[in-house]
Amino acid sequence: MILTLTPNPSIDRTVALDGELQRGQVHRVASVTSQAGGKGVNISRAAVSADIPSIAVVPAAKDDAFVLDLLGAGIDCRPVRPAGDVRVNLTVTEPDGTTTKLNSPGAAVLPLHLELMAQAVLVRASSADWTVLAGSLPAGAPATFYADLLRRLREVGGRVAVDTSEAPLQALVDALPASAPDLMKPNGEELASFTGGDADELESDPRATAAAARQLIERGVGAVLATLGGNGAVLVTPEGAWHASPPPTTVVSTVGAGDSSLFGYLLGDIRGLPAPKRLALAVAYGSAAAGLPGTTIPLPSQLRTELVDVTVLTPGGTA
């Protein structure tokens, strides 16, 4: 079972244009889609589509349309008392795959709301194969929320994956090794922000990415899955480092691709696959998601895992 926490969920509304986005101009919209989303929610969707049980903890009213959407999709949603309405995030996609995101902050939370979320996770974490803490934090939440929750999760057991950015990510890194998760999933820009590397270099050079990620392994993190967009992903563990190149993909929308990659890795781990095959499955999921509109999560039948090329980056790793 995969347990997910999405502290700042959103209604993801995607507007697809039939031409290039031009500031200050009137545009014709080709299509509009709307879906209950957020990083953890997306991972729970992917789990359900792969017949993996998942529980999604979200701050929302029990009768909110957001919760009903998740329940209708077959997701075991466990809502906790929210601070306000679920926010709306807007994504604008262009025909060439260029994506522009407009994310709203969400309602400001109080310590009570944060503790309700934490308790909902803590009481279920020991029965989960993985607990995933994912996404941004709502207004009013301290940047240390994930780091603090990780310390508490260590007391109840179970493995923890974290996918966040900006201040919460930096706070997590600052709290290492006490807050070290079993898996971190930064992208190249995020990895550069706290390792001192150059973001463009990391995005284009897998060996540089592996060297930067190795810093996190040395500080107690169990594994680092660094996603590099069109350049695939790098996996670093104490045993080695690998790079996976994605199959040829016509990019439609990159929204949710990172979430799909993270789920692919978790699915590979649950299946008992070795590190290189976990990485291949992660990249297969991410590339499949990039070829789908909006925040659509790929089905297992849409994967092209056999076209993912995995190479060893460090001695000791095996493909």
Side-chain angles (χ1 to χ4, degrees):
M1 189 268 285
I2 295 177
L3 173 65
T4 67
L5 171 63
T6 308
N8 202 18
S10 60
I11 298 171
D12 291 337
R13 191 158 295 151
T14 302
V15 176
L17 302 181
D18 55 9
E20 183 180 345
L21 177 65
Q22 300 287 340
R23 291 183 61 198
Q25 301 298 312
V26 175
H27 294 275
R28 296 195 180 279
V29 174
S31 66
V32 179
T33 59
S34 187
Q35 186 179 66
K39 283 185 171 296
V41 167
N42 291 341
I43 290 168
S44 287
R45 281 190 188 278
V48 169
S49 73
D51 295 324
I52 299 295
S54 182
I55 295 176
V57 175
V58 296
K62 292 181 179 179
D63 58 352
D64 192 294
F66 184 93
V67 173
L68 299 179
D69 184 344
L70 297 183
L71 294 174
I75 297 171
D76 186 356
C77 181
R78 304 300 175 95
V80 298
R81 179 179 169 183
D85 294 335
V86 176
R87 64 189 178 131
V88 176
N89 286 346
L90 180 64
T91 299
V92 181
T93 62
E94 302 172 46
D96 66 353
T98 300
T99 300
T100 302
K101 296 192 68 176
L102 303 172
N103 291 347
S104 56
V109 297
L110 299 173
L112 167 66
H113 302 115
L114 297 172
E115 183 58 24
L116 288 173
M117 285 190 277
Q119 287 297 331
V121 171
L122 290 166
V123 298
R124 297 177 174 90
S126 62
S127 61
D129 289 279
W130 282 94
T131 296
V132 181
L133 311 179
S136 63
L137 297 178
T144 58
F145 176 71
Y146 283 143
D148 296 339
L149 181 54
L150 257 162
R151 293 189 186 95
R152 299 171 70 181
L153 282 167
R154 287 292 169 235
E155 298 176 4
V156 301
R159 292 175 296 171
V160 184
V162 180
D163 182 9
T164 189
S165 59
E166 299 179 348
L169 177 60
Q170 186 62 58
L172 181 66
V173 173
D174 290 343
L176 296 176
S179 65
D182 299 278
L183 175 67
M184 287 181 66
K185 196 214 72 61
N187 58 32
E189 182 177 356
E190 292 160 353
L191 190 59
S193 71
F194 55 79
T195 60
D198 179 82
D200 291 336
E201 180 186 9
L202 296 189
E203 289 282 353
S204 61
D205 184 352
R207 292 188 181 278
T209 301
R214 179 65 60 185
Q215 297 179 39
L216 296 175
I217 300 297
E218 292 170 350
R219 297 179 64 185
V221 176
V224 178
L225 175 65
T227 52
L228 305 176
N231 289 324
V234 166
L235 174 64
V236 180
T237 73
E239 292 73 38
W242 301 262
H243 171 245
S245 299
T249 303
T250 299
V251 177
V252 176
S253 172
T254 58
V255 181
D259 307 333
S260 293
S261 293
L262 175 53
F263 171 72
Y265 180 90
L266 299 180
L267 178 61
D269 178 82
I270 290 172
R271 289 177 173 172
L273 299 180
K277 292 188 180 298
R278 296 198 299 268
L279 175 60
L281 193 55
V283 170
Y285 258 96
S287 61
L292 298 172
T295 55
T296 305
I297 301 299
L299 300 173
S301 60
Q302 295 172 305
L303 305 181
R304 295 181 293 165
T305 312
E306 72 282 0
L307 298 181
V308 176
D309 182 35
V310 178
T311 58
V312 178
L313 297 177
T314 60
T318 56

